[in-house]
Amino acid sequence: MEKPVIATTSLAGCFGCHMSLLDIDERILELIELVDFNKSPINDIKTFTRECDIGLIEGGCCLDENVHVLEDFRKHCRILVSVGECAIMGGLPAMRNGIPIRECLEEAYLNGPTVRYTNNEKIMPNDEELPIMLDRVYPCHEVVKIDYFLPGCPPRADLIWNALTALINNREMDLPYEVFKFD
Amino acid sequence: MSKQITFTIDGETCKAEEGTYILDAARKNNKYIPTLCNLEGIPPKGACRMCTVKINGKLVTSCTTRVTDGMQIESEDPGLDDLRKSILEMLFVEGNHLCPSCEKSGSCELQALAYRYRMTVPRYPFFFPRRNIDSTHPKIIKDHNRCILCKRCIRAIKDQNGKSIFAFLNRGHHTKIYVDPDLADKLTDELADRAVEICPVGAIMKRGDGFKDPIGERKYDKQPIGSELEQQL
């Protein structure tokens, strides 16, 4: 039987969830026996080269580019998992939700204490190469259908391991209490 | 001594004094019914609805309903659990509950109940309301993003004349707790500590305090909320 294929990405995240995935320690050797990796920052494969079984999404959507990547993942992955608080509820980037985007940008580039006297030309980044910020940060399941959610900041390595092996072996996730955390 | 009566919770026979509220009677019988607004020794409010139980097929809040002889109470059934979970989910989407950056995380009752019910994601869309942090008081900091309006602080923190130091400001969706300006200096260090302790979330925090207990040693890190009661069985 062919090995299940995993893809991962970090949208508006800090890569902490990916670090936590690596934090499964020596079980990573077991994992590479169990699965193949496709598009992922771990192996630096930039585009999907085949259809995948499991897509792990870290971070929510704060840019139009995040939405494109997420939709691409939905298209290519049979199962999508929101990994971590940012993917589930926006996380710390979502602290800007409720504040109009103009106000956010003006604080960051014009009025904030570190830029007020240094940004004399009043420059706000506006290059067409830059992805466009969304009006607010969206949890992944508000953009595409998400099948499973692993909470935590980051989700504990044992929770990720538990969930991944459950998905690979077609059994139910246990979500043990000691590793089921929101922080 | 008042009359002892017998009743059942999920089919198990329990005893209590006549006139006791169901939630208190359940506690005395080592039965855990979840709650966010109830506090032992403080008159109940029925604000959070987490303690909803079923009696004769009817849903009632167990903190404000008195137990009667022969009463048959249902507390643990999948329907009720889902109802309670949905209340938690509404509370989570209604405020801004950023657990990763909250000082109360690990010792928060709202979070602990979400753990107990294994809430992974709320079924409702997030509101992301714009709320502020009020740090005008010399002893405490109030974070309105986290407040669930349980009224514990209003009901439990009183000055020596029995006046509530905390109060509600505004109405409806704009309701928030505030410190009565006339009584602000009556909030002693002991009362401030108590307010922080009874706040089920991290809406009231002590100035200069925070992240005191390391991860792994916080109140609900290892054991689910309510297990201290259930383990006494």
Side-chain angles (χ1 to χ4, degrees):
Chain A
M1 202 179 80
E2 228 185 320
K3 286 200 258 181
V5 186
I6 293 184
T8 77
T9 189
S10 178
L11 306 175
C14 68
F15 270 92
C17 299
H18 275 84
M19 296 305 288
S20 197
L21 170 63
L22 298 179
D23 205 25
I24 59 176
D25 297 332
E26 76 281 2
R27 284 172 293 187
I28 199 130
L29 301 172
E30 207 176 316
L31 185 66
I32 51 170
E33 292 298 318
L34 284 170
V35 299
D36 281 331
F37 274 87
N38 200 259
K39 179 180 159 75
S40 167
I42 292 174
N43 54 18
D44 214 20
I45 298 180
K46 308 274 193 216
T47 48
F48 282 103
T49 54
R50 55 184 293 189
E51 297 306 291
C52 298
D53 296 286
I54 303 165
L56 304 179
I57 312 290
E58 167 189 338
C61 293
C62 84
L63 303 169
D64 62 344
E65 193 239 354
N66 298 147
V67 176
H68 297 155
V69 172
L70 184 57
E71 283 172 344
D72 199 30
F73 263 74
R74 183 69 277 180
K75 216 176 285 169
H76 289 96
C77 301
R78 205 162 52 81
I79 297 166
L80 270 197
V81 188
S82 267
V83 182
E85 287 299 303
C86 299
I88 290 173
M89 52 80 65
L92 298 197
M95 283 175 122
R96 79 164 161 96
N97 290 7
I99 301 171
I101 188 139
R102 174 176 289 276
E103 220 176 294
C104 288
L105 288 170
E106 284 178 350
E107 178 68 17
Y109 293 106
L110 305 182
N111 305 327
T114 56
V115 288
R116 197 180 304 154
Y117 304 111
T118 49
N119 186 6
N120 295 325
E121 287 107 85
K122 307 269 176 232
I123 297 168
M124 238 196 251
N126 193 26
D127 195 284
E128 60 181 28
E129 289 285 314
L130 291 173
I132 296 165
M133 270 173 88
L134 304 177
D135 60 332
R136 65 173 177 89
V137 179
Y138 290 83
C140 291
H141 65 277
E142 291 186 10
V143 179
V144 299
K145 160 102 177 114
I146 300 286
D147 304 291
Y148 295 97
F149 300 85
L150 296 179
C153 184
R156 306 295 184 268
D158 287 334
L159 183 73
I160 298 177
W161 176 252
N162 181 295
L164 268 184
T165 47
L167 284 175
I168 293 164
N169 297 318
N170 213 7
R171 62 174 166 78
E172 217 173 311
M173 297 177 189
D174 325 317
L175 305 177
Y177 183 86
E178 307 73 48
V179 290
F180 186 89
K181 302 287 170 229
F182 294 168
D183 62 1
Chain B
M1 199 184 134
S2 55
K3 209 177 116 191
Q4 284 281 321
I5 52 167
T6 313
F7 61 100
T8 65
I9 297 179
D10 298 322
E12 273 184 54
T13 309
C14 300
K15 282 186 197 322
E17 280 181 24
E18 196 173 27
T20 319
Y21 291 113
I22 297 172
L23 186 71
D24 295 325
R27 264 190 205 127
K28 295 227 165 62
N29 286 277
N30 292 331
K31 284 273 183 189
Y32 178 71
I33 299 176
T35 177
L36 284 167
C37 71
N38 195 265
L39 261 186
E40 248 178 310
I42 305 290
K45 185 72 202 161
C48 72
R49 324 307 283 181
M50 273 304 287
C51 69
T52 300
V53 293
K54 212 189 269 180
I55 300 163
N56 278 336
K58 191 170 175 278
L59 298 174
V60 297
T61 46
S62 61
C63 66
T64 55
T65 310
R66 291 179 200 276
V67 70
T68 57
D69 200 27
M71 194 181 245
Q72 293 179 343
I73 301 159
E74 289 171 65
S75 174
E76 268 180 36
D77 91 2
L80 272 176
D81 280 349
D82 191 57
L83 186 89
R84 289 169 181 161
K85 200 173 167 189
S86 77
I87 293 172
L88 288 173
E89 291 170 4
M90 282 191 262
L91 290 171
F92 267 91
V93 299
E94 193 265 348
N96 293 313
H97 297 281
L98 292 151
C99 296
S101 68
C102 180
E103 302 90 329
K104 193 83 170 213
S105 187
S107 309
C108 166
E109 289 179 42
L110 177 69
Q111 186 194 55
L113 279 171
Y115 290 168
R116 189 180 163 104
Y117 288 97
R118 293 293 193 280
M119 185 197 95
T120 50
V121 65
R123 70 195 75 173
Y124 311 105
F126 288 96
F127 280 26
F128 296 119
R130 188 174 185 178
R131 298 205 190 138
N132 60 358
I133 297 171
D134 179 350
S135 59
T136 50
H137 196 278
K139 292 205 171 71
I140 56 163
I141 297 169
K142 287 182 291 136
D143 190 340
H144 299 294
N145 291 293
R146 302 168 184 169
C147 183
I148 56 166
L149 307 176
C150 66
K151 279 194 166 185
R152 270 190 186 179
C153 53
I154 300 176
R155 289 181 291 139
I157 309 298
K158 313 247 176 160
D159 71 357
Q160 70 271 35
N161 299 322
K163 284 188 188 165
S164 292
I165 294 173
F166 289 88
F168 267 175
L169 188 69
N170 301 331
R171 297 260 174 192
H173 202 60
H174 302 288
T175 311
K176 57 181 179 183
I177 48 157
Y178 88 128
V179 179
D180 189 328
D182 294 336
L183 299 174
D185 54 356
K186 299 275 167 56
L187 191 71
T188 59
D189 275 317
E190 295 75 52
L191 282 178
D193 284 339
R194 174 86 178 130
V196 172
E197 184 197 323
I198 61 165
C199 181
V201 289
I204 302 174
M205 301 304 301
K206 192 87 183 288
R207 192 178 282 279
D209 259 1
F211 303 107
K212 269 199 296 194
D213 301 320
I215 291 177
E217 288 172 28
R218 300 167 305 180
K219 201 167 171 191
Y220 304 116
D221 272 344
K222 295 197 178 80
Q223 294 291 324
I225 188 169
S227 55
E228 68 284 358
L229 214 54
E230 291 161 330
Q231 277 161 5
Q232 285 170 24
L233 284 173

